[in-house]
Amino acid sequence: PKSKVIDNAYQVGDTPVSPQRPKIYLAFLMVGLLLPFSIIYANQLLDNKIHNKVSLEKLINEVPILAELPKMGRNEDMLIRSDDRSVLSESLRILRTNLDYLIKSKNDKKNNIIFVTSSVPGEGKTFISSNLSMIFANTNKKVLLIGGDVRNPKLYTYFAQKDVDKIGSRSRGNVDIGLSEYLHDPKIQSKDIINSMLVHSTTFDVIYSGKIPPNPAELLMGNRMGSLLDEMSEKYDYVIVDTAPIMVVTDTMLITDLADHIVYVTRAGVTESKVLEHPVNLWNQGKLKGLTFVVNDVKESNLGYGGKYGYGYGKSVKKWWKF
């Protein structure tokens, strides 16, 4: 051969000089540890939403929180049944108990007019007002649910769909007129707009919002709204009004002085922390008397102690070996 080894290479050790694998592994390990922690920290730093009762308590100081409600499953009914033992139904019963305590704490009057509102649409105020009416009615009390959001009526989606007959029967006589017609026409009496409902064997009455009027604020500012609530307060044990969001329109603020209690609905992962400064400031100014909060749509992992460990409490579970 024409080539030959003149001098052998100088060997430093048994390992190659490059690539230095231990250093590369260490660098990737550090990056692998720092990257997820950095993402988590940045996410928490930029997160401006509430997620459960604990995060809400840090923002509202002395305003009471009545309950936190879990996220609904896909197959769950929008309206709970009297024999329902799910965590959602138990959370609603906690809401009922806490609210009923506040109602009975004042003995000078009936103290039974409850407004349910929120900051913006989509936070669950109609869902809570409907189920709150159901769960109060389950105690054999006379309950009236009023659709006070005359600009964006939603009660029809719960009680007036065609498939509502599958869960009960109801009176269909007065669905064409509602609150807006009553406020506009002095000839219409309260009995003309009340619909008796039977849903899941639970009986209560509903006043729908009626047709969307061109002047909702002016209608609500009239004397008939106050007269209606005074009359219904004497006839019913609980009067629950599903009102408009206060950050969107002025309608609810025009009639807050008619309410004994205002249940303010927030939604986990949706309601921004800064938005809650508005109702708290109004409460401090005396414009939202009887203000309380509810956290809706909370993930199971974010629920408090009772929510995490109370699933199916007292419910008999069928063993897998028994048929």
Side-chain angles (χ1 to χ4, degrees):
K2 296 181 179 181
S3 61
K4 65 179 181 178
V5 177
I6 299 175
D7 194 6
N8 292 325
Y10 178 72
Q11 186 173 356
V12 178
D14 296 333
T15 58
V17 176
S18 180
Q20 298 182 10
R21 293 185 178 181
K23 292 183 178 180
I24 294 175
Y25 291 154
L26 180 61
F28 274 98
L29 178 63
M30 295 297 294
V31 172
L33 291 174
L34 290 175
L35 185 61
F37 282 109
S38 300
I39 294 175
I40 293 173
Y41 176 75
N43 185 44
Q44 292 180 346
L45 194 65
L46 298 174
D47 186 14
N48 62 345
K49 307 289 195 306
I50 66 164
H51 295 282
N52 54 15
K53 181 179 178 180
V54 175
S55 60
L56 180 59
E57 285 176 339
K58 298 176 181 178
L59 302 171
I60 61 174
N61 299 324
E62 299 177 356
V63 184
I65 302 175
L66 297 179
E68 57 180 359
L69 307 181
K71 183 183 289 290
M72 282 188 63
R74 291 185 177 181
N75 297 325
E76 289 189 76
D77 293 332
M78 290 193 299
L79 298 173
I80 65 167
R81 300 175 182 270
S82 59
D83 58 350
D84 194 346
R85 305 296 291 275
S86 66
V87 65
L88 175 60
S89 63
E90 295 301 333
S91 299
L92 285 166
R93 291 185 179 98
I94 292 174
L95 171 59
R96 177 188 64 191
T97 301
N98 292 335
L99 183 56
D100 196 46
Y101 174 80
L102 295 177
I103 293 173
K104 293 179 179 178
S105 63
K106 296 182 180 180
N107 299 320
D108 54 339
K109 60 176 183 176
K110 294 203 71 172
N111 194 38
N112 61 348
I113 300 177
I114 305 162
F115 282 13
V116 182
T117 188
S118 61
S119 299
V120 295
E123 293 181 310
K125 64 179 183 60
T126 305
F127 167 77
I128 290 179
S129 59
S130 300
N131 280 284
L132 190 59
S133 302
M134 291 275 295
I135 208 159
F136 268 124
N138 286 337
T139 60
N140 296 321
K141 300 292 185 179
K142 291 188 64 178
V143 179
L144 174 66
L145 174 62
I146 301 177
D149 190 355
V150 294
R151 294 179 190 253
N152 187 24
K154 291 295 184 181
L155 287 185
Y156 289 100
T157 61
Y158 286 82
F159 302 112
Q161 290 184 350
K162 293 181 179 179
D163 61 349
V164 76
D165 289 333
K166 296 179 181 178
I167 57 175
S169 60
R170 64 181 181 84
S171 171
R172 297 182 180 271
N174 304 324
V175 295
D176 293 331
I177 60 174
L179 180 63
S180 58
E181 285 78 13
Y182 172 84
L183 297 177
H184 173 72
D185 189 354
K187 297 180 181 179
I188 298 178
Q189 300 180 14
S190 59
K191 65 179 182 179
D192 299 327
I193 58 175
I194 295 176
N195 295 272
S196 296
M197 307 289 292
L198 177 61
V199 183
H200 295 324
S201 72
T202 300
T203 304
F204 62 99
D205 292 342
V206 175
I207 295 178
Y208 292 113
S209 303
K211 297 178 181 178
I212 301 176
N215 56 339
E218 287 72 19
L219 288 178
L220 292 170
M221 289 178 66
N223 297 327
R224 298 209 80 193
M225 186 65 184
S227 301
L228 176 66
L229 291 178
D230 288 340
E231 179 187 353
M232 297 300 105
S233 177
E234 295 298 325
K235 292 182 178 180
Y236 291 88
D237 296 307
Y238 302 97
V239 179
I240 300 172
V241 186
D242 176 38
T243 62
I246 66 171
M247 295 286 290
V248 179
V249 292
T250 186
D251 297 1
T252 301
M253 293 304 303
L254 295 173
I255 56 175
T256 52
D257 59 320
L258 304 176
D260 297 312
H261 304 275
I262 298 176
V263 178
Y264 200 99
V265 179
T266 62
R267 185 174 180 180
V270 175
T271 304
E272 297 182 2
S273 303
K274 193 173 183 179
V275 168
L276 297 177
E277 295 177 1
H278 182 60
V280 173
N281 289 336
L282 292 174
W283 176 72
N284 289 326
Q285 297 169 12
K287 296 180 180 179
L288 290 180
K289 60 181 181 179
L291 179 65
T292 55
F293 281 91
V294 171
V295 188
N296 185 36
D297 205 32
V298 181
K299 292 181 179 179
E300 180 182 342
S301 58
N302 290 330
L303 285 172
Y305 180 86
K308 289 181 180 178
Y309 298 98
Y311 285 84
Y313 179 79
K315 184 178 180 180
S316 59
V317 180
K318 187 176 181 180
K319 305 298 183 181
W320 65 270
W321 62 83
K322 293 183 178 181
F323 300 96

